[in-house]
Amino acid sequence: MSENNFLDELLAEAEVKDEKRTSAFFDLLVMEVAKLEGEISDNFSEMEKEIEIIKEWALKRNSVIQERANFLKLKLESYIREEGKKTIDLPHGTLKIRKMPDKVEITDLSLFLSKANSEMLNIIPEQVKPDLSKIKSFIKMTTKLPEGVTLIEGKEEFKLTLKNNSKEETEE
């Protein structure tokens, strides 16, 4: 029986050693996974830094290009104004001068509401709001400016429409 006992002890000892090796091995695997996930995180962090560098580069470069485009658009606007025309059609684009519509702005709502007539209001149950299009019509018909209202006259705007192989882009 002592042999049996001795063998059992050896087997038990061997099993403990295997468990220790197995635990140590799997702990090493856990450490390796943590290291790899750290590398992934570092890669994403590096990517974000590179993206920011590229964005800054593109912004600097495009701002110079945009300034040049704006300068050329000013030359085109100057040309159409010198010609005294509203539209000039060119092979690669169309130049236009258009007057934008007038706008009204309510600067003092309580003053406006105290003096406004029903034609200048939209009455919704439980709510009274100025109707800006009716106010503009009133101003055009009577040439009077209701109290509490400011008239912002529409300005002429220059528009350039580019012709790109049957697609048209409008730039302002």
Side-chain angles (χ1 to χ4, degrees), residues 143-160:
T143 65
K144 293 180 185 176
L145 196 60
E147 292 185 41
V149 174
T150 302
L151 177 66
I152 303 167
E153 289 192 35
K155 298 178 183 175
E156 284 189 345
E157 284 190 5
F158 170 72
K159 291 190 180 186
L160 168 62

Side-chain angles (χ1 to χ4, degrees), residues 42-54:
D42 290 346
N43 288 341
F44 279 119
S45 177
E46 189 65 28
M47 175 195 69
E48 292 297 327
K49 290 176 189 173
E50 292 294 326
I51 288 171
E52 282 304 311
I53 290 170
I54 292 169

Side-chain angles (χ1 to χ4, degrees), residues 84-101:
K85 296 180 180 178
K86 296 289 182 184
T87 303
I88 297 177
D89 190 27
L90 299 170
H92 290 94
T94 306
L95 311 178
K96 294 180 183 180
I97 296 286
R98 295 289 180 257
K99 184 177 184 317
M100 302 311 288

Side-chain angles (χ1 to χ4, degrees), residues 19-33:
E19 283 179 18
K20 285 182 183 175
R21 282 188 203 142
T22 305
S23 294
F25 174 74
F26 287 113
D27 190 46
L28 287 173
L29 291 180
V30 169
M31 287 174 44
E32 184 66 18
V33 168

Side-chain angles (χ1 to χ4, degrees), residues 92-161:
H92 290 94
T94 306
L95 311 178
K96 294 180 183 180
I97 296 286
R98 295 289 180 257
K99 184 177 184 317
M100 302 311 288
D102 297 340
K103 295 179 184 179
V104 292
E105 181 178 85
I106 307 300
T107 52
D108 186 345
L109 184 60
S110 58
L111 177 62
F112 170 74
L113 290 175
S114 69
K115 303 284 183 172
N117 62 34
S118 62
E119 293 176 3
M120 290 188 254
L121 299 172
N122 268 341
I123 300 174
I124 301 170
E126 304 294 326
Q127 189 177 23
V128 176
K129 288 182 3 182
D131 186 334
L132 298 181
S133 61
K134 289 181 182 177
I135 295 168
K136 279 198 301 189
S137 297
F138 175 81
I139 293 169
K140 286 187 181 189
M141 298 294 267
T142 64
T143 65
K144 293 180 185 176
L145 196 60
E147 292 185 41
V149 174
T150 302
L151 177 66
I152 303 167
E153 289 192 35
K155 298 178 183 175
E156 284 189 345
E157 284 190 5
F158 170 72
K159 291 190 180 186
L160 168 62
T161 305

